Amino acid sequence: ALRAIAWLNAPRALKAITIPVLIGSAGSEVSVDPRSHRAIAALLPDCELVAFPDSRHEIFMESDAYRVPWFAAIDDFIRARLPAPHAEE
């Protein structure tokens, strides 16, 4: 696990990830430094970072004040990357 973390922290590895990535960044984080979220997002070619400055570590388990906007951000992120629907003929 530590080797995998070290590999993912290498800028070359992050720049090689071509799939879209959405990062939900909790600001009241005690497990991970939120500054690392911004640094990683800057290296990923197709990344959107959504910051929740007052949220704790697990945004999915937060109150609705954080969870509802997080789910909306997920929906928007996916919707923006879906192919346009074909017109019915």
Side-chain angles (χ1 to χ4, degrees), residues 73-89:
I74 294 169
D75 288 344
D76 293 344
F77 180 82
I78 294 170
R79 196 173 295 115
R81 285 156 180 81
L82 289 175
H86 298 316
E88 298 282 330
E89 292 185 39

Side-chain angles (χ1 to χ4, degrees), residues 23-42 49-57 59:
I23 297 175
S25 180
S28 291
E29 176 68 73
V30 295
S31 302
V32 179
D33 185 342
R35 292 176 294 187
S36 67
H37 301 160
R38 293 187 294 277
I40 288 170
L49 183 133
V50 182
F52 296 93
D54 299 320
S55 175
R56 293 182 306 269
H57 177 73
I59 300 171

Side-chain angles (χ1 to χ4, degrees), residues 52 54-71:
F52 296 93
D54 299 320
S55 175
R56 293 182 306 269
H57 177 73
E58 183 50 72
I59 300 171
F60 286 108
M61 301 298 289
E62 269 285 6
S63 67
D64 285 347
Y66 302 106
R67 198 172 40 233
V68 170
W70 176 228
F71 284 135

Side-chain angles (χ1 to χ4, degrees), residues 11-30:
R12 180 181 69 227
L14 292 170
K15 290 177 183 178
I17 296 172
T18 58
I19 61 168
V21 176
L22 176 65
I23 297 175
S25 180
S28 291
E29 176 68 73
V30 295

